[in-house]
Amino acid sequence: MIGLGIAFGAVSVAASQFLGPRKPTPEKMAPYECGVPPVGDARERQSVKFYLVAMIFLLFDIEVAFLYPWAVAFRGLGMMGFIQVVTFFALLTTGYVYVWRKGVFDWGGNRRR
């Protein structure tokens, strides 16, 4: 199965080289980054909102990573496991309310501090 997958990938790449259209233009040859034109300095400063949203995403991503094992072992954990997950969600909700009150989710111009 692995050999079949590798062969399919190699044949697809080779076929695209021979069958694909070849009309390179400067626009087509330019690197593409999420719809933003790649011009300017790569070391320009980013908004703090970008980093805050990234940290919030990590916070909720970690929540899901902890929630799966808990859900699998739910019956074996008993009441103590239930109390632990309720405490975990209480702490998570506290963090969510904190960043909400700080205005991190408000992408408009008005930001409360």
Side-chain angles (χ1 to χ4, degrees):
M1 193 62 126
I2 292 174
L4 185 64
I6 291 171
F8 178 76
V11 168
S12 297
V13 170
S16 71
Q17 290 295 322
F18 294 115
L19 301 175
R22 295 187 185 201
K23 293 181 183 177
T25 62
E27 289 83 16
K28 289 181 183 178
M29 299 304 292
Y32 180 75
E33 264 316 307
C34 300
V36 178
V39 294
D41 187 17
R43 292 179 177 84
E44 68 183 40
R45 296 183 65 125
Q46 296 288 331
S47 171
V48 173
K49 284 227 180 221
F50 173 79
Y51 298 107
L52 290 174
V53 169
M55 282 196 260
I56 293 167
F57 172 76
L58 288 174
L59 177 75
F60 289 107
D61 192 39
I62 290 170
E63 168 197 354
V64 171
F66 281 128
L67 191 58
Y68 277 119
W70 175 80
V72 169
F74 177 67
R75 291 188 182 178
L77 294 175
M79 187 56 125
M80 193 61 173
F82 180 73
I83 291 171
Q84 288 175 354
V85 83
V86 167
T87 304
F88 176 72
F89 274 112
L91 289 171
L92 197 66
T93 303
T94 303
Y96 179 77
V97 169
Y98 175 76
V99 296
W100 182 32
R101 298 283 296 162
K102 282 292 193 179
V104 173
F105 298 126
D106 181 23
W107 287 90
N110 301 337
R111 183 171 179 199
R112 292 183 289 185
R113 292 186 187 237

